[in-house]
């Protein structure tokens, strides 16, 4: 049985009051005086050059670089698969229709399916035309509904083939020296397969629109890989070298669209990293800062799955991780990268009765994530959009349910949260990029005075968080706090509140 909530210490209460006051007043004067109208959605009669998304510092821009645009999006990896069967294309249409009705303007989906039962790439350089025409349909429908696409070119995991399939193809061709899936990142043969695939996709001419993918403004950009990780080199050097080779290659094929590696945000051993902030404080084979700083990379990404990454820890530890993870990446992106940041996957398990999950907790998670995105976007910060995992439809999709799905017509509370966020972000669209650029320059130096101390506070919070997770993990009950664990929780909450206050005051100085 849950115990009554204890009253926080007076200092923590004071910080909470200050935080509420700061949040309520945190919209910048620039925002109040320069809201502007939402940017126009893509349409068949618009000038394509005005619709291509570019980057201006930490902002995405359209209109030839003159107007800001922010992204409220969703993941639907299954779009190409459904569209490859003309009898099921109505589901793709329905998904885009529902998304557009809730103000969503970005879809992240796969532009790969390597080997297996329903391949796009049957073998290296050999493609299934029906599947490719399915992707043609997806792009055409996204354009018709005013939704941009972030297209991913490969998978780290075995689903839909992934890097394992690439290595198996190479071994079948006689390259027996390849021992693990991670040889994907350093095998010359495998890298050649990947480059051929990327070139084939980027230069594809859409059979429905007649427009080459590399010229289609419906596409926001390309992800090199979905969630690259590397057990063979936990420090991140192997993935770093791969991105440093592939990003410029893809940009040579398509110089018009944006590009990102597809990282989850895990820190490595490079400069300005902090592995202590990673789930359980361990390495995953990537460097967040160094890899996003590579030539050819236009924007940064993170993912957010506190319940999945910290499975078995308590709700307090997961909430503290969520806030710390978002805040640390926002600050490091602004300081060391100067690029836009998207949360390209965020989700919380919501199957009632499984592991204590329920929709109420999921809805609270959505509120926190989307509030963080809006707060950053409103002040001109780098965190300028996100995409939830995952959008499904009401009928015929039970096999795709994973506990993280959101079915908008069946989930009015989540649909309302997402729709409201989309409308808020849309009010920021169309801000004058030059005015915002000048405003950022005048405030950046003032923020930097506080940056070192803020990172120290965040890293200190991470140390407390690891201790808190350890206490939660070993505890037989999440409803009972020993006095030491309660003390850690109060300290961590105080650190979190104090950090937020510093961040907000720093942005206003």
């Amino acid at each position: 049985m849950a115990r009554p909530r204890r009253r926080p210490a007076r200092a923590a209460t004071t910080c909470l009051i200050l935080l509420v006051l700061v949040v309520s007043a945190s919209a910048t004067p620039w925002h109040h005086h320069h809201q502007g109208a939402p940017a126009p959605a893509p349409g068949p009669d618009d000038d394509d050059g005005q619709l291509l998304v570019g980057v201006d510092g930490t902002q995405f821009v359209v209109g030839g670089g003159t107007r800001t645009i922010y992204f409220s999006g969703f993941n639907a990896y299954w779009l190409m698969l459904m569209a490859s069967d003309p009898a099921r294309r109505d589901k793709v249409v329905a998904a885009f229709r529902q998304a557009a009705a809730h103000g969503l303007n970005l879809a992240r989906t796969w532009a790969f399916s390597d080997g297996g039962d329903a391949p796009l790439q049957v073998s290296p350089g050999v493609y299934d035309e029906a599947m490719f025409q399915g992707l043609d349909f997806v792009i055409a429908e996204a354009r018709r509904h005013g939704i941009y696409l972030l297209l991913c070119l490969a998978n780290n995991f075995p689903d839909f083939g992934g890097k394992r399939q690439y290595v198996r193809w190479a071994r079948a061709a006689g390259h027996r020296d390849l021992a693990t899936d991670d040889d994907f990142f350093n095998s010359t043969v495998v890298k050649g397969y990947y480059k051929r695939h990327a070139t084939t996709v980027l230069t594809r001419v859409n059979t429905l629109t007649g427009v080459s993918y590399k010229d289609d403004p419906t596409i926001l950009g390309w992800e090199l890989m979905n969630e690259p990780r590397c057990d063979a080199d936990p420090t991140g050097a192997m993935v770093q070298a791969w991105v440093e080779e592939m990003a410029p290659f893809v940009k040579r094929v398509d110089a018009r669209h944006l590009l990102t590696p597809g990282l989850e945000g895990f820190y490595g051993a490079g400069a300005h990293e902090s592995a202590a902030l990673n789930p359980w404080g361990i390495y995953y084979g990537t460097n967040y800062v160094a890899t996003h700083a590579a030539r050819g990379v236009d924007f940064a990404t993170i993912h957010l799955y506190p319940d999945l990454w910290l499975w078995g820890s308590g709700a307090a530890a997961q909430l503290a991780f969520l806030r710390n993870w978002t805040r640390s990446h926002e600050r490091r992106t602004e300081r060391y990268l100067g690029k836009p940041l998207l949360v390209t996957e965020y989700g919380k398990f919501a199957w009632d009765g499984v592991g204590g999950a329920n929709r109420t907790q999921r809805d609270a998670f959505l509120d926190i994530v989307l509030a963080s995105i809006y707060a950053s976007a409103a002040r001109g910060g780098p965190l300028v959009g996100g995409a939830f995992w995952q959008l499904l439809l009401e009928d015929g999709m039970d096999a795709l349910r994973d506990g993280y799905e959101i079915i908008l017509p069946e989930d009015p509370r989540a649909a309302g949260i997402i729709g409201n966020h989309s409308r808020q972000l849309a009010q920021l669209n169309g801000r004058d990029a030059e005015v915002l650029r000048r405003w950022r320059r005048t405030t950046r130096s003032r923020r930097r005075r506080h940056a070192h101390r803020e990172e120290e506070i965040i890293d200190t919070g991470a140390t407390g968080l690891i201790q808190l997770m350890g206490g939660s993990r070993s505890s037989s009950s999440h409803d009972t706090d020993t006095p030491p664990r309660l003390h850690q929780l109060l300290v961590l909450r105080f650190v979190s509140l104090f950090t937020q206050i510093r961040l907000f005051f720093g942005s206003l100085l």
Side-chain angles (χ1 to χ4, degrees):
M1 184 176 73
R3 295 165 61 185
R5 226 173 171 181
R6 301 197 188 194
R7 186 180 300 274
R10 181 173 298 176
T13 304
T14 302
C15 285
L16 180 58
I17 294 171
L18 284 172
L19 178 61
V20 171
L21 293 173
V22 170
V23 170
S24 65
S26 63
T28 67
W30 187 93
H31 167 58
H32 283 305
H33 292 95
H34 297 82
Q35 280 197 334
D45 299 324
D46 290 322
D47 177 7
D48 284 357
Q50 296 293 302
L51 296 172
L52 276 167
V53 179
V55 165
D56 185 335
T58 59
Q59 305 296 297
F60 290 115
V61 289
V62 291
T66 62
R67 305 189 308 273
T68 58
I69 184 169
Y70 301 88
F71 291 106
S72 178
F74 63 97
N75 281 267
Y77 68 90
W78 46 268
L79 290 172
M80 178 178 63
L81 177 63
M82 288 290 176
S84 66
D85 178 0
R88 298 194 293 177
R89 287 185 174 179
D90 61 312
K91 295 189 180 300
V92 175
V93 176
F96 282 132
R97 186 190 306 120
Q98 290 181 13
H102 288 81
L104 297 167
N105 64 344
L106 176 66
R108 177 173 175 265
T109 193
W110 297 168
F112 67 83
S113 182
D114 305 307
D117 296 331
L120 170 63
Q121 188 174 197
V122 180
S123 59
V126 178
Y127 290 84
D128 182 280
E129 179 60 20
M131 190 67 72
F132 238 145
Q133 289 186 18
L135 188 54
D136 291 345
F137 184 82
V138 169
I139 295 172
E141 281 300 302
R143 174 72 177 262
R144 192 167 69 87
H145 285 86
I147 294 176
Y148 284 96
L149 293 172
L150 179 57
L151 297 178
C152 187
L153 295 171
N155 201 8
N156 180 74
F157 305 103
D159 309 86
F160 298 93
K163 64 185 181 185
R164 175 179 297 178
Q165 182 61 68
Y166 275 85
V167 172
R168 285 178 173 174
W169 280 334
R171 286 179 56 82
H175 301 277
R176 301 291 182 181
D177 56 319
L178 304 183
T180 72
D181 296 351
D182 285 336
D183 284 322
F184 173 92
F185 296 112
N186 59 10
S187 163
T188 301
V189 173
V190 172
K191 288 190 290 186
Y193 292 163
Y194 178 87
K195 289 177 179 178
R196 187 189 306 172
H197 171 66
T199 302
T200 300
V201 173
L202 272 57
T203 58
R204 165 83 174 183
V205 176
N206 194 311
T207 57
L208 297 174
T209 66
V211 179
S212 171
Y213 286 13
K214 65 185 180 66
D215 295 322
D216 197 320
T218 311
I219 298 171
L220 163 68
W222 307 101
E223 264 192 357
L224 295 179
M225 173 176 267
N226 172 53
E227 300 187 337
R229 298 183 183 184
C230 185
D231 294 334
D233 183 4
T235 67
M238 188 179 292
V239 171
Q240 179 79 24
W242 184 80
V243 171
E244 289 177 351
E245 180 177 351
M246 295 305 166
F249 173 83
V250 170
K251 295 292 270 190
R252 285 195 296 271
V253 178
D254 178 3
R256 305 189 75 190
H257 287 109
L258 305 179
L259 181 142
T260 192
L263 302 182
E264 298 160 273
F266 299 133
Y267 292 110
H272 313 308
E273 307 284 323
S274 181
L277 290 167
N278 289 345
W280 306 112
I282 63 178
Y283 289 97
Y284 294 84
T286 59
N287 283 296
Y288 174 77
V289 176
T291 303
H292 281 126
R295 184 167 63 92
V297 173
D298 296 297
F299 64 96
T301 65
I302 61 172
H303 291 180
L304 264 175
Y305 292 106
D307 58 347
L308 180 64
W309 291 348
L310 306 181
W311 193 263
S313 63
Q318 292 176 17
L319 177 60
F321 172 86
L322 185 160
R323 295 186 183 281
N324 231 20
W325 189 252
T326 307
R327 188 181 308 119
S328 73
H329 285 87
E330 183 181 352
R331 301 305 293 180
R332 281 174 167 83
T333 301
E334 187 165 34
R335 184 171 187 203
Y336 301 117
L337 297 173
K339 299 177 180 181
L341 168 63
L342 291 179
V343 187
T344 44
E345 289 187 25
Y346 61 88
K348 184 172 177 59
F349 194 79
W351 281 355
D352 290 343
V354 179
N358 59 65
R359 287 188 178 183
T360 300
Q361 294 176 359
R362 192 276 316 278
D363 294 342
F365 168 84
L366 293 177
D367 275 326
I368 294 170
V369 174
L370 299 183
S372 297
I373 293 172
Y374 180 77
S376 173
R379 74 168 181 84
L383 181 54
V384 290
F388 66 84
W389 185 279
Q390 62 166 324
L391 176 70
L392 292 184
L393 302 176
E394 305 95 308
D395 300 319
M397 289 192 145
D398 288 350
L400 302 183
R401 291 176 180 252
D402 57 6
Y404 291 83
E405 71 276 356
I406 295 178
I407 301 174
L408 295 171
E410 294 182 356
D411 202 338
R413 173 61 178 154
I417 294 170
I418 292 166
N420 183 60
H421 172 72
S422 299
R423 287 187 292 273
Q424 287 181 320
L425 277 188
Q427 291 301 312
L428 304 179
N429 286 346
R431 299 196 290 187
D432 186 290
E434 175 59 29
V435 173
L436 183 56
R437 189 185 311 118
R438 291 198 300 266
W439 178 80
R440 286 202 311 268
R441 281 199 297 264
T442 61
T443 58
R444 188 178 297 124
S445 61
R446 294 169 184 170
R447 288 190 195 128
R448 282 178 176 171
R449 289 184 302 177
H450 305 279
H452 281 298
R453 182 55 184 154
E454 286 161 358
E455 288 177 15
E456 290 174 5
I457 293 171
I458 289 171
D459 289 346
T460 300
T463 302
L465 176 59
I466 292 171
Q467 296 172 350
L468 180 60
M469 288 189 297
S472 299
R473 205 179 195 182
S474 61
S475 176
S476 60
S477 171
H478 297 310
D479 294 329
T480 303
D481 283 307
T482 62
R485 185 173 170 228
L486 178 62
H487 174 72
Q488 290 173 351
L489 178 58
L490 290 174
V491 170
L492 190 56
R493 285 177 177 169
F494 177 80
V495 168
S496 177
L497 289 169
F498 182 68
T499 304
Q500 292 181 57
I501 292 169
R502 288 291 302 274
L503 293 178
F504 278 114
F505 274 125
S507 69
L508 294 173
L509 289 175

